[in-house]
Amino acid sequence: MVAERGRGDDDTATRILDVAERLAQVRGFNGFSYADIAAEVGITKAALHYHFATKADLGEMLIGRYAARFDQALSAIDASTPGAAAKLRGYAELYTDVLRNQRMCLCGMLAAEYPTLPGAMQASVVSFFDQNETWLQHVLEQGRSDGSLHFTGSPRDTARMIISCLEGAMLVTRPYGDIPRFQDAAASLITGLTTPTIAQG
């Protein structure tokens, strides 16, 4: 029989997830231990195992929470921003916000460690990127339909290109600590999608 958990347990679990998320975004999932989390939260490792029996369990919860927040952010962009180009700029701004906190995209960091992750975490990382790809595909279809976006190839392939470019730009920006470097790359990417292609005669 599982003991009923109270508000204090929920608060502790949230603090554990907050610390673990920051460590994963800064060091990578393999770059911290339960001892690191326990020390920051101020609990014993036994108490940490009470909330998350294994690090794999913790990792799955981290990805699920991160993906849910990202999905909410995408829904907010949809609700507040009608234009396709503006939606793309809002999407890029989500990445900029992560950099402002001196972190990397959680799933981008996990993708770098993909071969070492448990199978369930690997599946969750792929699901996160699929979720982003689907949202971007819809935005690109909207933009192509109303003439505000211009790109060759399919919306799916272009969505994949956008994710790859933004994740890569984050990675290259990191050693420089220069957020404008990322912003310039993102702006160039979006400009390329909003500028009509001139047919060659």
Side-chain angles (χ1 to χ4, degrees):
M1 181 175 179
V2 178
E4 184 176 347
R5 295 190 177 188
R7 173 63 68 87
D9 288 329
D10 291 339
D11 290 344
T12 300
T14 298
R15 287 191 294 128
I16 291 169
L17 287 167
D18 289 344
V19 169
E21 182 175 306
R22 176 177 55 77
L23 291 174
Q25 287 181 285
V26 173
R27 302 183 189 177
F29 190 70
N30 295 318
F32 68 90
S33 67
Y34 263 26
D36 295 321
I37 299 172
E40 286 206 34
V41 177
I43 60 176
T44 65
K45 285 198 292 183
L48 183 47
H49 281 287
Y50 164 75
H51 290 281
F52 303 98
T54 68
K55 195 176 179 186
D57 293 334
L58 174 63
E60 287 184 61
M61 184 64 72
L62 281 178
I63 300 170
R65 192 177 74 150
Y66 191 81
R69 287 206 313 268
F70 218 93
D71 186 58
Q72 290 172 357
L74 297 181
S75 295
I77 292 173
D78 280 332
S80 64
T81 312
K87 287 181 181 180
L88 291 182
R89 285 190 285 271
Y91 182 76
E93 186 64 19
L94 297 180
Y95 288 78
T96 306
D97 287 341
V98 174
L99 285 171
R100 288 193 182 104
N101 288 321
Q102 298 182 323
R103 303 187 187 188
M104 296 289 290
C105 169
L106 175 66
C107 289
M109 289 289 280
L110 295 177
E113 301 176 289
Y114 186 84
T116 69
L117 300 178
M121 285 185 65
Q122 290 180 334
S124 294
V125 169
V126 171
S127 178
F128 172 81
F129 287 120
D130 285 347
Q131 162 195 337
N132 280 257
E133 181 184 311
T134 297
W135 186 84
L136 284 168
Q137 185 173 332
H138 290 156
V139 172
L140 291 163
E141 289 169 349
Q142 172 194 341
R144 173 171 275 178
S145 177
D146 65 23
S148 62
L149 297 180
H150 310 272
F151 53 92
T152 58
S154 70
R156 183 193 66 179
D157 290 343
T158 304
R160 291 176 177 176
M161 179 270 293
I162 292 171
I163 295 171
S164 298
C165 287
L166 293 179
E167 290 284 355
M170 285 189 84
L171 185 64
V172 174
T173 294
R174 192 181 197 194
Y176 293 93
D178 181 13
I179 294 177
R181 187 185 184 97
F182 172 83
Q183 293 172 312
D184 289 345
S188 295
L189 173 65
I190 295 170
T191 296
L193 293 168
T194 56
T195 303
T197 302
I198 299 175
Q200 298 294 319

mmCIF file of all heavy atoms in Angstrom, residues 31-83:
data_model
loop_
_atom_site.group_PDB
_atom_site.id
_atom_site.type_symbol
_atom_site.label_atom_id
_atom_site.label_comp_id
_atom_site.label_asym_id
_atom_site.label_seq_id
_atom_site.Cartn_x
_atom_site.Cartn_y
_atom_site.Cartn_z
ATOM 1 N N GLY A 31 25.926 14.707 -15.782
ATOM 2 C CA GLY A 31 26.865 15.569 -15.084
ATOM 3 C C GLY A 31 26.515 15.857 -13.639
ATOM 4 O O GLY A 31 27.168 16.687 -12.999
ATOM 5 N N PHE A 32 25.476 15.213 -13.124
ATOM 6 C CA PHE A 32 25.126 15.403 -11.718
ATOM 7 C C PHE A 32 24.641 14.092 -11.132
ATOM 8 O O PHE A 32 24.250 13.170 -11.852
ATOM 9 C CB PHE A 32 24.059 16.495 -11.546
ATOM 10 C CG PHE A 32 22.704 16.135 -12.099
ATOM 11 C CD1 PHE A 32 21.751 15.502 -11.308
ATOM 12 C CD2 PHE A 32 22.371 16.427 -13.416
ATOM 13 C CE1 PHE A 32 20.508 15.169 -11.817
ATOM 14 C CE2 PHE A 32 21.124 16.101 -13.934
ATOM 15 C CZ PHE A 32 20.184 15.465 -13.128
ATOM 16 N N SER A 33 24.692 14.005 -9.820
ATOM 17 C CA SER A 33 24.290 12.794 -9.110
ATOM 18 C C SER A 33 23.162 13.108 -8.136
ATOM 19 O O SER A 33 22.830 14.273 -7.893
ATOM 20 C CB SER A 33 25.480 12.223 -8.334
ATOM 21 O OG SER A 33 25.829 13.123 -7.273
ATOM 22 N N TYR A 34 22.605 12.060 -7.550
ATOM 23 C CA TYR A 34 21.594 12.255 -6.514
ATOM 24 C C TYR A 34 22.185 13.003 -5.324
ATOM 25 O O TYR A 34 21.496 13.763 -4.647
ATOM 26 C CB TYR A 34 21.019 10.902 -6.076
ATOM 27 C CG TYR A 34 19.715 10.545 -6.770
ATOM 28 C CD1 TYR A 34 19.413 11.055 -8.017
ATOM 29 C CD2 TYR A 34 18.792 9.701 -6.161
ATOM 30 C CE1 TYR A 34 18.228 10.734 -8.651
ATOM 31 C CE2 TYR A 34 17.595 9.375 -6.775
ATOM 32 C CZ TYR A 34 17.320 9.898 -8.028
ATOM 33 O OH TYR A 34 16.136 9.592 -8.644
ATOM 34 N N ALA A 35 23.476 12.786 -5.054
ATOM 35 C CA ALA A 35 24.126 13.493 -3.955
ATOM 36 C C ALA A 35 24.126 15.002 -4.206
ATOM 37 O O ALA A 35 23.937 15.794 -3.268
ATOM 38 C CB ALA A 35 25.548 12.984 -3.773
ATOM 39 N N ASP A 36 24.340 15.411 -5.463
ATOM 40 C CA ASP A 36 24.323 16.835 -5.806
ATOM 41 C C ASP A 36 22.952 17.444 -5.537
ATOM 42 O O ASP A 36 22.835 18.538 -4.968
ATOM 43 C CB ASP A 36 24.683 17.037 -7.285
ATOM 44 C CG ASP A 36 26.106 16.614 -7.622
ATOM 45 O OD1 ASP A 36 26.993 16.863 -6.795
ATOM 46 O OD2 ASP A 36 26.308 16.026 -8.703
ATOM 47 N N ILE A 37 21.907 16.732 -5.948
ATOM 48 C CA ILE A 37 20.549 17.238 -5.757
ATOM 49 C C ILE A 37 20.216 17.305 -4.272
ATOM 50 O O ILE A 37 19.693 18.312 -3.770
ATOM 51 C CB ILE A 37 19.525 16.344 -6.473
ATOM 52 C CG1 ILE A 37 19.785 16.314 -7.976
ATOM 53 C CG2 ILE A 37 18.099 16.850 -6.208
ATOM 54 C CD1 ILE A 37 18.931 15.314 -8.725
ATOM 55 N N ALA A 38 20.512 16.223 -3.555
ATOM 56 C CA ALA A 38 20.195 16.158 -2.129
ATOM 57 C C ALA A 38 20.864 17.292 -1.367
ATOM 58 O O ALA A 38 20.262 17.909 -0.478
ATOM 59 C CB ALA A 38 20.621 14.808 -1.559
ATOM 60 N N ALA A 39 22.114 17.606 -1.726
ATOM 61 C CA ALA A 39 22.842 18.671 -1.044
ATOM 62 C C ALA A 39 22.182 20.025 -1.272
ATOM 63 O O ALA A 39 22.063 20.843 -0.349
ATOM 64 C CB ALA A 39 24.288 18.698 -1.516
ATOM 65 N N GLU A 40 21.748 20.284 -2.492
ATOM 66 C CA GLU A 40 21.128 21.576 -2.801
ATOM 67 C C GLU A 40 19.746 21.716 -2.185
ATOM 68 O O GLU A 40 19.374 22.786 -1.710
ATOM 69 C CB GLU A 40 21.053 21.782 -4.318
ATOM 70 C CG GLU A 40 22.379 22.106 -4.972
ATOM 71 C CD GLU A 40 22.213 22.898 -6.256
ATOM 72 O OE1 GLU A 40 21.270 23.720 -6.331
ATOM 73 O OE2 GLU A 40 23.021 22.700 -7.175
ATOM 74 N N VAL A 41 18.977 20.626 -2.203
ATOM 75 C CA VAL A 41 17.618 20.679 -1.663
ATOM 76 C C VAL A 41 17.646 20.642 -0.134
ATOM 77 O O VAL A 41 16.741 21.148 0.527
ATOM 78 C CB VAL A 41 16.770 19.523 -2.234
ATOM 79 C CG1 VAL A 41 15.366 19.525 -1.635
ATOM 80 C CG2 VAL A 41 16.668 19.641 -3.761
ATOM 81 N N GLY A 42 18.701 20.040 0.421
ATOM 82 C CA GLY A 42 18.800 19.938 1.867
ATOM 83 C C GLY A 42 18.074 18.740 2.437
ATOM 84 O O GLY A 42 17.451 18.819 3.505
ATOM 85 N N ILE A 43 18.126 17.612 1.698
ATOM 86 C CA ILE A 43 17.511 16.376 2.152
ATOM 87 C C ILE A 43 18.530 15.248 2.023
ATOM 88 O O ILE A 43 19.596 15.436 1.444
ATOM 89 C CB ILE A 43 16.247 16.031 1.328
ATOM 90 C CG1 ILE A 43 16.613 15.866 -0.168
ATOM 91 C CG2 ILE A 43 15.166 17.093 1.506
ATOM 92 C CD1 ILE A 43 15.446 15.424 -1.032
ATOM 93 N N THR A 44 18.196 14.100 2.554
ATOM 94 C CA THR A 44 19.085 12.947 2.426
ATOM 95 C C THR A 44 18.854 12.264 1.079
ATOM 96 O O THR A 44 17.807 12.452 0.445
ATOM 97 C CB THR A 44 18.826 11.929 3.540
ATOM 98 O OG1 THR A 44 17.490 11.400 3.389
ATOM 99 C CG2 THR A 44 18.978 12.574 4.920
ATOM 100 N N LYS A 45 19.827 11.464 0.661
ATOM 101 C CA LYS A 45 19.637 10.703 -0.579
ATOM 102 C C LYS A 45 18.492 9.719 -0.435
ATOM 103 O O LYS A 45 17.778 9.440 -1.402
ATOM 104 C CB LYS A 45 20.931 9.986 -0.960
ATOM 105 C CG LYS A 45 21.999 10.912 -1.536
ATOM 106 C CD LYS A 45 23.066 10.144 -2.279
ATOM 107 C CE LYS A 45 23.919 9.301 -1.348
ATOM 108 N NZ LYS A 45 25.004 8.602 -2.082
ATOM 109 N N ALA A 46 18.300 9.196 0.778
ATOM 110 C CA ALA A 46 17.181 8.272 1.013
ATOM 111 C C ALA A 46 15.851 8.982 0.770
ATOM 112 O O ALA A 46 14.920 8.409 0.181
ATOM 113 C CB ALA A 46 17.242 7.725 2.433
ATOM 114 N N ALA A 47 15.754 10.224 1.214
ATOM 115 C CA ALA A 47 14.525 10.996 0.997
ATOM 116 C C ALA A 47 14.318 11.267 -0.483
ATOM 117 O O ALA A 47 13.184 11.254 -0.986
ATOM 118 C CB ALA A 47 14.588 12.302 1.773
ATOM 119 N N LEU A 48 15.410 11.499 -1.201
ATOM 120 C CA LEU A 48 15.330 11.728 -2.644
ATOM 121 C C LEU A 48 14.822 10.476 -3.357
ATOM 122 O O LEU A 48 13.959 10.551 -4.245
ATOM 123 C CB LEU A 48 16.709 12.127 -3.165
ATOM 124 C CG LEU A 48 16.862 12.496 -4.646
ATOM 125 C CD1 LEU A 48 15.796 13.459 -5.102
ATOM 126 C CD2 LEU A 48 18.245 13.073 -4.887
ATOM 127 N N HIS A 49 15.309 9.318 -2.937
ATOM 128 C CA HIS A 49 14.846 8.062 -3.535
ATOM 129 C C HIS A 49 13.382 7.787 -3.206
ATOM 130 O O HIS A 49 12.698 7.080 -3.953
ATOM 131 C CB HIS A 49 15.721 6.896 -3.057
ATOM 132 C CG HIS A 49 17.035 6.791 -3.765
ATOM 133 N ND1 HIS A 49 17.142 6.350 -5.064
ATOM 134 C CD2 HIS A 49 18.306 7.094 -3.362
ATOM 135 C CE1 HIS A 49 18.420 6.368 -5.432
ATOM 136 N NE2 HIS A 49 19.146 6.812 -4.419
ATOM 137 N N TYR A 50 12.894 8.338 -2.109
ATOM 138 C CA TYR A 50 11.475 8.198 -1.755
ATOM 139 C C TYR A 50 10.608 8.849 -2.824
ATOM 140 O O TYR A 50 9.552 8.324 -3.195
ATOM 141 C CB TYR A 50 11.224 8.830 -0.388
ATOM 142 C CG TYR A 50 9.777 9.088 -0.062
ATOM 143 C CD1 TYR A 50 8.925 8.044 0.300
ATOM 144 C CD2 TYR A 50 9.258 10.381 -0.112
ATOM 145 C CE1 TYR A 50 7.590 8.281 0.605
ATOM 146 C CE2 TYR A 50 7.931 10.626 0.185
ATOM 147 C CZ TYR A 50 7.101 9.577 0.544
ATOM 148 O OH TYR A 50 5.777 9.822 0.839
ATOM 149 N N HIS A 51 11.060 9.988 -3.338
ATOM 150 C CA HIS A 51 10.284 10.713 -4.350
ATOM 151 C C HIS A 51 10.532 10.167 -5.755
ATOM 152 O O HIS A 51 9.596 10.067 -6.562
ATOM 153 C CB HIS A 51 10.642 12.198 -4.310
ATOM 154 C CG HIS A 51 10.154 12.900 -3.085
ATOM 155 N ND1 HIS A 51 8.856 13.316 -2.927
ATOM 156 C CD2 HIS A 51 10.804 13.240 -1.933
ATOM 157 C CE1 HIS A 51 8.714 13.904 -1.751
ATOM 158 N NE2 HIS A 51 9.881 13.865 -1.131
ATOM 159 N N PHE A 52 11.779 9.836 -6.055
ATOM 160 C CA PHE A 52 12.147 9.329 -7.387
ATOM 161 C C PHE A 52 13.086 8.152 -7.175
ATOM 162 O O PHE A 52 14.279 8.342 -6.891
ATOM 163 C CB PHE A 52 12.813 10.431 -8.218
ATOM 164 C CG PHE A 52 11.958 11.659 -8.384
ATOM 165 C CD1 PHE A 52 12.151 12.768 -7.569
ATOM 166 C CD2 PHE A 52 10.945 11.691 -9.331
ATOM 167 C CE1 PHE A 52 11.358 13.901 -7.704
ATOM 168 C CE2 PHE A 52 10.143 12.817 -9.472
ATOM 169 C CZ PHE A 52 10.343 13.920 -8.654
ATOM 170 N N ALA A 53 12.529 6.964 -7.297
ATOM 171 C CA ALA A 53 13.281 5.752 -6.941
ATOM 172 C C ALA A 53 14.593 5.627 -7.699
ATOM 173 O O ALA A 53 15.601 5.191 -7.147
ATOM 174 C CB ALA A 53 12.414 4.522 -7.181
ATOM 175 N N THR A 54 14.586 6.017 -8.972
ATOM 176 C CA THR A 54 15.797 5.934 -9.782
ATOM 177 C C THR A 54 16.014 7.247 -10.528
ATOM 178 O O THR A 54 15.082 8.044 -10.702
ATOM 179 C CB THR A 54 15.711 4.795 -10.812
ATOM 180 O OG1 THR A 54 14.714 5.135 -11.798
ATOM 181 C CG2 THR A 54 15.356 3.469 -10.146
ATOM 182 N N LYS A 55 17.226 7.443 -10.991
ATOM 183 C CA LYS A 55 17.517 8.642 -11.765
ATOM 184 C C LYS A 55 16.752 8.634 -13.085
ATOM 185 O O LYS A 55 16.382 9.688 -13.612
ATOM 186 C CB LYS A 55 19.022 8.767 -12.010
ATOM 187 C CG LYS A 55 19.440 10.152 -12.487
ATOM 188 C CD LYS A 55 20.951 10.265 -12.639
ATOM 189 C CE LYS A 55 21.345 11.651 -13.146
ATOM 190 N NZ LYS A 55 22.780 11.761 -13.430
ATOM 191 N N ALA A 56 16.495 7.431 -13.616
ATOM 192 C CA ALA A 56 15.704 7.324 -14.849
ATOM 193 C C ALA A 56 14.281 7.824 -14.614
ATOM 194 O O ALA A 56 13.697 8.502 -15.473
ATOM 195 C CB ALA A 56 15.684 5.880 -15.338
ATOM 196 N N ASP A 57 13.703 7.492 -13.446
ATOM 197 C CA ASP A 57 12.363 7.987 -13.107
ATOM 198 C C ASP A 57 12.374 9.514 -13.043
ATOM 199 O O ASP A 57 11.454 10.180 -13.537
ATOM 200 C CB ASP A 57 11.908 7.435 -11.751
ATOM 201 C CG ASP A 57 11.686 5.937 -11.773
ATOM 202 O OD1 ASP A 57 11.386 5.397 -12.861
ATOM 203 O OD2 ASP A 57 11.806 5.301 -10.705
ATOM 204 N N LEU A 58 13.403 10.055 -12.415
ATOM 205 C CA LEU A 58 13.540 11.501 -12.320
ATOM 206 C C LEU A 58 13.664 12.118 -13.710
ATOM 207 O O LEU A 58 13.029 13.135 -14.014
ATOM 208 C CB LEU A 58 14.778 11.846 -11.488
ATOM 209 C CG LEU A 58 15.163 13.323 -11.385
ATOM 210 C CD1 LEU A 58 14.074 14.124 -10.689
ATOM 211 C CD2 LEU A 58 16.492 13.482 -10.647
ATOM 212 N N GLY A 59 14.460 11.500 -14.571
ATOM 213 C CA GLY A 59 14.663 12.024 -15.916
ATOM 214 C C GLY A 59 13.379 12.051 -16.728
ATOM 215 O O GLY A 59 13.099 13.032 -17.431
ATOM 216 N N GLU A 60 12.584 10.994 -16.628
ATOM 217 C CA GLU A 60 11.304 10.967 -17.351
ATOM 218 C C GLU A 60 10.386 12.075 -16.873
ATOM 219 O O GLU A 60 9.712 12.740 -17.678
ATOM 220 C CB GLU A 60 10.630 9.611 -17.168
ATOM 221 C CG GLU A 60 11.277 8.472 -17.946
ATOM 222 C CD GLU A 60 10.501 7.183 -17.788
ATOM 223 O OE1 GLU A 60 9.319 7.162 -18.173
ATOM 224 O OE2 GLU A 60 11.065 6.220 -17.247
ATOM 225 N N MET A 61 10.353 12.298 -15.557
ATOM 226 C CA MET A 61 9.507 13.357 -15.012
ATOM 227 C C MET A 61 9.998 14.725 -15.455
ATOM 228 O O MET A 61 9.202 15.620 -15.768
ATOM 229 C CB MET A 61 9.490 13.270 -13.484
ATOM 230 C CG MET A 61 8.556 14.265 -12.823
ATOM 231 S SD MET A 61 6.814 13.995 -13.240
ATOM 232 C CE MET A 61 6.492 12.499 -12.311
ATOM 233 N N LEU A 62 11.314 14.897 -15.516
ATOM 234 C CA LEU A 62 11.886 16.166 -15.969
ATOM 235 C C LEU A 62 11.451 16.488 -17.395
ATOM 236 O O LEU A 62 11.018 17.601 -17.694
ATOM 237 C CB LEU A 62 13.413 16.114 -15.915
ATOM 238 C CG LEU A 62 14.107 16.306 -14.575
ATOM 239 C CD1 LEU A 62 15.613 16.162 -14.752
ATOM 240 C CD2 LEU A 62 13.766 17.652 -13.962
ATOM 241 N N ILE A 63 11.580 15.509 -18.271
ATOM 242 C CA ILE A 63 11.224 15.728 -19.674
ATOM 243 C C ILE A 63 9.731 16.001 -19.806
ATOM 244 O O ILE A 63 9.307 16.904 -20.538
ATOM 245 C CB ILE A 63 11.623 14.531 -20.549
ATOM 246 C CG1 ILE A 63 13.131 14.298 -20.486
ATOM 247 C CG2 ILE A 63 11.205 14.768 -22.003
ATOM 248 C CD1 ILE A 63 13.586 12.998 -21.136
ATOM 249 N N GLY A 64 8.914 15.213 -19.090
ATOM 250 C CA GLY A 64 7.469 15.396 -19.164
ATOM 251 C C GLY A 64 7.052 16.784 -18.720
ATOM 252 O O GLY A 64 6.209 17.437 -19.360
ATOM 253 N N ARG A 65 7.643 17.260 -17.630
ATOM 254 C CA ARG A 65 7.304 18.589 -17.121
ATOM 255 C C ARG A 65 7.771 19.676 -18.088
ATOM 256 O O ARG A 65 7.045 20.650 -18.352
ATOM 257 C CB ARG A 65 7.949 18.780 -15.737
ATOM 258 C CG ARG A 65 7.451 19.987 -14.981
ATOM 259 C CD ARG A 65 8.055 20.080 -13.596
ATOM 260 N NE ARG A 65 9.453 20.514 -13.627
ATOM 261 C CZ ARG A 65 10.020 21.220 -12.634
ATOM 262 N NH1 ARG A 65 9.325 21.534 -11.558
ATOM 263 N NH2 ARG A 65 11.286 21.563 -12.712
ATOM 264 N N TYR A 66 8.977 19.515 -18.608
ATOM 265 C CA TYR A 66 9.534 20.490 -19.541
ATOM 266 C C TYR A 66 8.699 20.549 -20.826
ATOM 267 O O TYR A 66 8.377 21.636 -21.326
ATOM 268 C CB TYR A 66 10.975 20.108 -19.865
ATOM 269 C CG TYR A 66 11.770 21.146 -20.614
ATOM 270 C CD1 TYR A 66 12.344 22.225 -19.938
ATOM 271 C CD2 TYR A 66 11.991 21.038 -21.986
ATOM 272 C CE1 TYR A 66 13.107 23.176 -20.613
ATOM 273 C CE2 TYR A 66 12.752 21.977 -22.667
ATOM 274 C CZ TYR A 66 13.303 23.043 -21.975
ATOM 275 O OH TYR A 66 14.058 23.981 -22.648
ATOM 276 N N ALA A 67 8.331 19.389 -21.337
ATOM 277 C CA ALA A 67 7.531 19.333 -22.568
ATOM 278 C C ALA A 67 6.163 19.956 -22.361
ATOM 279 O O ALA A 67 5.633 20.636 -23.247
ATOM 280 C CB ALA A 67 7.393 17.879 -23.036
ATOM 281 N N ALA A 68 5.567 19.741 -21.183
ATOM 282 C CA ALA A 68 4.255 20.309 -20.888
ATOM 283 C C ALA A 68 4.327 21.834 -20.849
ATOM 284 O O ALA A 68 3.450 22.527 -21.383
ATOM 285 C CB ALA A 68 3.729 19.763 -19.563
ATOM 286 N N ARG A 69 5.376 22.361 -20.231
ATOM 287 C CA ARG A 69 5.537 23.819 -20.179
ATOM 288 C C ARG A 69 5.764 24.383 -21.576
ATOM 289 O O ARG A 69 5.238 25.444 -21.922
ATOM 290 C CB ARG A 69 6.712 24.194 -19.269
ATOM 291 C CG ARG A 69 6.455 24.018 -17.798
ATOM 292 C CD ARG A 69 7.341 24.951 -16.962
ATOM 293 N NE ARG A 69 8.725 24.937 -17.374
ATOM 294 C CZ ARG A 69 9.664 24.129 -16.859
ATOM 295 N NH1 ARG A 69 9.344 23.242 -15.921
ATOM 296 N NH2 ARG A 69 10.913 24.194 -17.287
ATOM 297 N N PHE A 70 6.545 23.682 -22.376
ATOM 298 C CA PHE A 70 6.814 24.139 -23.737
ATOM 299 C C PHE A 70 5.528 24.136 -24.546
ATOM 300 O O PHE A 70 5.255 25.058 -25.323
ATOM 301 C CB PHE A 70 7.870 23.241 -24.397
ATOM 302 C CG PHE A 70 8.830 23.987 -25.271
ATOM 303 C CD1 PHE A 70 10.037 24.457 -24.765
ATOM 304 C CD2 PHE A 70 8.547 24.229 -26.611
ATOM 305 C CE1 PHE A 70 10.944 25.150 -25.576
ATOM 306 C CE2 PHE A 70 9.431 24.913 -27.420
ATOM 307 C CZ PHE A 70 10.634 25.384 -26.908
ATOM 308 N N ASP A 71 4.713 23.103 -24.359
ATOM 309 C CA ASP A 71 3.436 23.014 -25.066
ATOM 310 C C ASP A 71 2.526 24.173 -24.668
ATOM 311 O O ASP A 71 1.829 24.749 -25.515
ATOM 312 C CB ASP A 71 2.771 21.672 -24.767
ATOM 313 C CG ASP A 71 1.513 21.454 -25.598
ATOM 314 O OD1 ASP A 71 1.602 21.484 -26.845
ATOM 315 O OD2 ASP A 71 0.429 21.259 -25.008
ATOM 316 N N GLN A 72 2.522 24.521 -23.387
ATOM 317 C CA GLN A 72 1.727 25.659 -22.932
ATOM 318 C C GLN A 72 2.220 26.950 -23.572
ATOM 319 O O GLN A 72 1.414 27.819 -23.954
ATOM 320 C CB GLN A 72 1.796 25.762 -21.408
ATOM 321 C CG GLN A 72 1.061 24.653 -20.677
ATOM 322 C CD GLN A 72 1.308 24.668 -19.178
ATOM 323 O OE1 GLN A 72 2.097 25.487 -18.670
ATOM 324 N NE2 GLN A 72 0.661 23.781 -18.457
ATOM 325 N N ALA A 73 3.534 27.077 -23.694
ATOM 326 C CA ALA A 73 4.100 28.272 -24.319
ATOM 327 C C ALA A 73 3.705 28.358 -25.794
ATOM 328 O O ALA A 73 3.391 29.444 -26.302
ATOM 329 C CB ALA A 73 5.620 28.276 -24.178
ATOM 330 N N LEU A 74 3.699 27.227 -26.473
ATOM 331 C CA LEU A 74 3.293 27.214 -27.883
ATOM 332 C C LEU A 74 1.815 27.564 -28.019
ATOM 333 O O LEU A 74 1.420 28.296 -28.933
ATOM 334 C CB LEU A 74 3.569 25.840 -28.498
ATOM 335 C CG LEU A 74 5.039 25.405 -28.557
ATOM 336 C CD1 LEU A 74 5.156 24.033 -29.211
ATOM 337 C CD2 LEU A 74 5.898 26.422 -29.295
ATOM 338 N N SER A 75 0.991 27.060 -27.117
ATOM 339 C CA SER A 75 -0.439 27.383 -27.131
ATOM 340 C C SER A 75 -0.652 28.870 -26.888
ATOM 341 O O SER A 75 -1.534 29.499 -27.489
ATOM 342 C CB SER A 75 -1.183 26.561 -26.072
ATOM 343 O OG SER A 75 -1.134 25.179 -26.380
ATOM 344 N N ALA A 76 0.167 29.455 -26.005
ATOM 345 C CA ALA A 76 0.063 30.887 -25.726
ATOM 346 C C ALA A 76 0.433 31.706 -26.959
ATOM 347 O O ALA A 76 -0.189 32.731 -27.253
ATOM 348 C CB ALA A 76 0.962 31.257 -24.554
ATOM 349 N N ILE A 77 1.449 31.257 -27.699
ATOM 350 C CA ILE A 77 1.820 31.941 -28.936
ATOM 351 C C ILE A 77 0.668 31.874 -29.925
ATOM 352 O O ILE A 77 0.316 32.874 -30.566
ATOM 353 C CB ILE A 77 3.099 31.324 -29.538
ATOM 354 C CG1 ILE A 77 4.314 31.622 -28.651
ATOM 355 C CG2 ILE A 77 3.341 31.856 -30.967
ATOM 356 C CD1 ILE A 77 5.583 30.907 -29.088
ATOM 357 N N ASP A 78 0.064 30.714 -30.061
ATOM 358 C CA ASP A 78 -1.071 30.558 -30.974
ATOM 359 C C ASP A 78 -2.213 31.493 -30.601
ATOM 360 O O ASP A 78 -2.862 32.096 -31.475
ATOM 361 C CB ASP A 78 -1.578 29.108 -30.950
ATOM 362 C CG ASP A 78 -0.733 28.177 -31.806
ATOM 363 O OD1 ASP A 78 -0.131 28.645 -32.785
ATOM 364 O OD2 ASP A 78 -0.681 26.970 -31.491
ATOM 365 N N ALA A 79 -2.468 31.607 -29.289
ATOM 366 C CA ALA A 79 -3.605 32.397 -28.820
ATOM 367 C C ALA A 79 -3.385 33.896 -28.965
ATOM 368 O O ALA A 79 -4.343 34.651 -29.176
ATOM 369 C CB ALA A 79 -3.902 32.057 -27.358
ATOM 370 N N SER A 80 -2.134 34.332 -28.867
ATOM 371 C CA SER A 80 -1.855 35.773 -28.848
ATOM 372 C C SER A 80 -1.276 36.321 -30.148
ATOM 373 O O SER A 80 -1.219 37.535 -30.335
ATOM 374 C CB SER A 80 -0.887 36.095 -27.699
ATOM 375 O OG SER A 80 0.373 35.460 -27.920
ATOM 376 N N THR A 81 -0.866 35.428 -31.037
ATOM 377 C CA THR A 81 -0.147 35.858 -32.244
ATOM 378 C C THR A 81 -0.784 35.244 -33.486
ATOM 379 O O THR A 81 -0.624 34.047 -33.733
ATOM 380 C CB THR A 81 1.330 35.417 -32.165
ATOM 381 O OG1 THR A 81 1.850 35.768 -30.882
ATOM 382 C CG2 THR A 81 2.153 36.091 -33.246
ATOM 383 N N PRO A 82 -1.502 36.045 -34.279
ATOM 384 C CA PRO A 82 -2.169 35.475 -35.455
ATOM 385 C C PRO A 82 -1.249 35.182 -36.631
ATOM 386 O O PRO A 82 -1.444 34.216 -37.362
ATOM 387 C CB PRO A 82 -3.209 36.545 -35.814
ATOM 388 C CG PRO A 82 -2.624 37.822 -35.293
ATOM 389 C CD PRO A 82 -1.867 37.456 -34.053
ATOM 390 N N GLY A 83 -0.238 36.004 -36.845
ATOM 391 C CA GLY A 83 0.599 35.871 -38.029
ATOM 392 C C GLY A 83 1.636 34.774 -37.912
ATOM 393 O O GLY A 83 2.222 34.564 -36.842
#
